[in-house]
Amino acid sequence: MARVPITATAVPDTGLNITDASFATLGVGANNGVSFPYDSNNRIILKNDTGGAATFTVKVPTPTIYSNVGVTVPDMTVSVANGKTYEFKAVSLNVGRQSDGSIYIDCNVGGKVLVTN
C-alpha cells in the first residue's frame, strides 16, 4: 500500500463534532500512511482505537546542508494509547514539510488521522 493523500475537513462556524468526523485509517508501516498539504492554520487529530498502543510518525526531511555532513534529522513520533485521541497545531509540523509542500504521517498500526481547517 502506498501513502494516501487526504484533504482537510472544513470546520463550520457552528463547530464540528469530532466523534462523528470521518478519520482516515493509515496503512500499517513506513510509507503507508497519509499526506496532506501543509497549512499552518490546520489542526491534526490522531486517534487510536486499535486495541493496543500506537506510534504515529511525522516524517521530517533532512536538509541537504545537514545530510552533506552526515547529519540526519530524526522523525517526530507521537505515542497514542489505545482509546485516546491526540491533537496538535500544524504549525508545529513546519519542520516536517516535504519538498512537495506536504506533511507525511505514518503509523505502526492502523491508527487514524483527521486534518481540520
Side-chain angles (χ1 to χ4, degrees):
M1 183 177 172
R3 189 173 308 286
V4 177
I6 61 172
T7 56
T9 298
V11 177
D13 292 340
T14 56
L16 174 68
N17 184 341
I18 297 295
T19 58
D20 293 336
S22 295
F23 283 73
T25 301
L26 286 76
V28 177
N31 303 314
N32 291 320
V34 296
S35 67
F36 53 90
Y38 172 81
D39 181 334
S40 63
N41 295 313
N42 285 352
R43 297 239 180 213
I44 291 79
I45 303 163
L46 306 175
K47 180 178 177 180
N48 179 12
D49 59 3
T50 65
T55 301
F56 292 84
T57 302
V58 178
K59 304 302 287 180
V60 178
T62 298
T64 304
I65 192 168
Y66 295 145
S67 61
N68 283 346
V69 294
V71 176
T72 302
V73 177
D75 294 330
M76 175 183 158
T77 58
V78 179
S79 297
V80 181
N82 181 51
K84 299 295 182 178
T85 304
Y86 185 91
E87 177 186 14
F88 55 96
K89 296 177 182 179
V91 71
S92 64
L93 297 182
N94 188 33
V95 298
R97 193 176 348 188
Q98 302 295 314
S99 60
D100 65 359
S102 295
I103 300 296
Y104 298 170
I105 299 179
D106 295 335
C107 192
N108 67 327
V109 294
K112 296 180 178 169
V113 65
L114 175 70
V115 178
T116 63
N117 62 10

